[in-house]
Amino acid sequence: MNNYLEKVFEKTSFCRHFENYVYKKVQDKTIKIPVYLSSGQESTPCSISAFLKEKTLEPNIFIQHRGHSTYLAFEASPEKLIDELLGLKTGCAFGMGGSASIQSIEKNIYGHDGLMGSQVPIAVGHCYQTKSPTIVFMGDASAEEDYVGAAIGWASTKNLPILFVVEDNNLSILTEKKMRRNWHMHELAQAYKVEAYDIGDDPTEISNHLTNVFKKPLLLNIRTIRKYWHSGAGIDGDYFDRYEWLKETLPFDTTKIDQINKNKVEALWQSRLEKL
Ligand SMILES: Cc1ncc(C[n+]2csc(CCOP(=O)(O)OP(=O)(O)O)c2C)c(N)n1
Ligand SMILES: [Mg+2]
């Protein structure tokens, strides 16, 4: 288990330092496009990716607009993500997708088109055609789109090898879930006869719920906490930092990995910024 947790932390810490750097570059206006930071939400994609890596599974991955950590967790090129945020042709979406529509052809990561939840029917259709392991990430608000429910129903009917991940940060821009609906995503999936759970973003809790991944459809509604504004670099009021919580609770010293990743991220950014 410690090996798994170390892998999760290595990834999480890389993602956090990456986002810290993006935050600075948005604030000093080196990055001029709308940016959707995933800080606070890193442990979800990092846990899933570390779990699947142990099993040498390489799924097709469909992501949403807040996808930097997902892209990095599944080991897509950080250099190409930096270039994309800087609007360069060498970016992962050729400088045209920006933060919201990142992709990796090498790692089978399909970028988002901007229509909330559209990635879910697209992922289900792709999985239906290929019958290969597929993950689709969505936010708690995107999950409310009607076509998402219909797609989950089809995945259930056809018993597809797909994992639905709801990154539930409780917010649709600034509107809380309790203002938007009186139902729960895991219960909706269960009504479609899909195995589904409502869990926290503790890496051990996540791995404990992945036993049946890709054997049949599975939905995890994972409660998490977004650190920054919906878009851009700023904080609203008090914030509980999941990364600090993770560092305190892990059963090993995280200081060294944390420092190594901080240095790695800074060196990466420096080398790309020199190109401007
Ligand atoms: C169909 C559609 N409706 C509204 C929007 C505007 N919009 C963009 S992101 C967003 C909120 C997304 O919330 P969620 O899916 O929970 O993801 P989060 O931003 O919380 O990570 C909204 C309303 C959109 N892009 N597409
Ligand atoms: Mg949300």
Side-chain angles (χ1 to χ4, degrees), residues 64-66 114-116 139-142 145 169 171-173 230:
Q64 206 178 255
H65 59 278
R66 199 174 305 288
L115 185 77
M116 279 169 60
D140 53 295
S142 301
E145 300 296 348
N169 60 17
L171 293 170
S172 177
I173 304 186
H230 170 68

Side-chain angles (χ1 to χ4, degrees), residues 145-163:
E145 300 296 348
D146 54 357
Y147 35 85
V148 171
I152 292 173
W154 184 247
S156 177
T157 303
K158 292 296 168 186
N159 201 28
L160 300 181
I162 188 163
L163 171 64

Side-chain angles (χ1 to χ4, degrees), residues 1 4-5 8 41-51 163 165 197 199-213 218 220-224 242:
M1 187 44 119
Y4 163 71
L5 290 176
V8 174
Q41 304 191 185
E42 300 93 341
S43 85
T44 294
C46 294
S47 301
I48 295 169
S49 161
F51 178 92
L163 171 64
V165 181
Y197 303 97
I199 59 174
D201 66 357
D202 176 340
T204 306
E205 197 177 354
I206 293 176
S207 68
N208 285 344
H209 288 85
L210 285 169
T211 314
N212 287 329
V213 70
L218 173 67
L220 300 182
N221 186 85
I222 303 180
R223 276 169 278 112
T224 181
R242 297 296 289 158

